[in-house]
Amino acid sequence: MKRLERAFYARETLTVARQLLGQRLLRLLDGQRLGGRIVEVEAYIGQEDRACHAARGHTPRTAVMFGPPGTAYVYFIYGLYHCLNVVTEAEGFPAAVLIRALEPLEGLPLMRRRRPGRADHELANGPGKLCRALGIGRELNGLDLVSSDVLFIEEDAPIADEAVQTTPRVGVRGDAPALAAPWRFLIADSPFLSRR
DNA sequence: CTCTCGATGCGCT
DNA sequence: GCGCATCGAGAGA
């Protein structure tokens, strides 16, 4: 399948988030292809968005969000988990899309081994879980998804507007317009979402 | 099924 | 020190 190119990521973050639904995230691990269909994402957009890590400016941690579109932004959270984002918009504007859930399609046996005791629909139905299932850690932070053979996104069947639902972002609250905005995108009838 | 709560590292105040 | 873009175990219904 064809890989998503830089121009795909170099657009408005809400457009990229919406269009990422249905695309196939892939990780090459131990010579195997692991991954699946993206079924849930969230947009984090610029310094005005107080939930965006880059809201407080350019720091060592947020540097990659200011970098070129198509870059992986991986961060460590709660002392235990990693979350994977894709950097969007023009270089210099800090924004990204968080990948929140996958429908596992490739490399199921290895993913099951990495997530013992979990049913298939729980292998990657959360941002921390999918990183665990695919073996994504901070060593992949700053990786270029457009040129990497280790982590990349391939084009798959587009999702119709009728199947897409939006909600406020998980774990984000507040009265500011950006905080209340429906910037979580999901495939409504998917059994692989992080929450119903 | 739902809810509550603790684990745990690190970036920033 | 504090607070996380989280998860899973355990309790109750």
Side-chain angles (χ1 to χ4, degrees), chain A residues 170-186:
Chain A
V170 174
V172 175
R173 336 161 161 262
D175 297 326
L179 299 184
W183 287 351
R184 173 178 178 236
F185 297 76
L186 51 103

Side-chain angles (χ1 to χ4, degrees), chain A residues 6 9 44 46 52-54 57-76 83-97 137-145:
Chain A
R6 184 105 36 221
Y9 304 104
Y44 290 85
C52 180
H53 287 170
H58 193 295
T59 70
R61 183 203 200 191
T62 62
V64 298
M65 291 190 84
F66 289 82
T71 304
Y73 167 46
V74 181
Y75 66 89
F76 188 56
C83 292
L84 170 67
N85 298 249
V86 175
V87 175
T88 59
E89 314 230 11
E91 186 163 358
F93 184 87
V97 174
R138 267 174 308 184
E139 68 279 3
L140 300 186
N141 189 40
L143 202 73
D144 179 20
L145 301 176

Side-chain angles (χ1 to χ4, degrees), chain A residues 8 18 40 53 95 98 101 115 127-128 152 175 178:
Chain A
F8 179 95
R18 164 64 181 85
E40 179 181 341
H53 287 170
L98 170 69
R115 302 261 309 135
F152 49 94
D175 297 326

Side-chain angles (χ1 to χ4, degrees), chain A residues 100-121:
Chain A
R100 284 195 58 91
L102 297 181
E103 173 181 347
L105 292 174
E106 298 190 43
L108 273 285
L110 181 50
M111 290 175 71
R112 292 184 187 115
R113 234 176 299 142
R114 299 187 55 84
R115 302 261 309 135
R118 304 288 143 204
D120 284 356
H121 74 275

Side-chain angles (χ1 to χ4, degrees), chain A residues 16-73:
Chain A
V16 177
R18 164 64 181 85
Q19 296 302 320
L20 274 174
L21 290 178
Q23 312 295 344
R24 189 173 296 215
L25 176 70
L26 288 161
R27 161 83 163 125
L28 202 66
L29 188 67
D30 298 336
Q32 294 189 53
R33 276 167 63 107
L34 305 188
R37 195 162 76 127
I38 298 171
V39 298
E40 179 181 341
V41 298
E42 284 176 1
Y44 290 85
I45 313 176
Q47 315 231 30
E48 313 305 311
D49 176 7
R50 302 244 311 333
C52 180
H53 287 170
R56 285 177 204 116
H58 193 295
T59 70
R61 183 203 200 191
T62 62
V64 298
M65 291 190 84
F66 289 82
T71 304
Y73 167 46

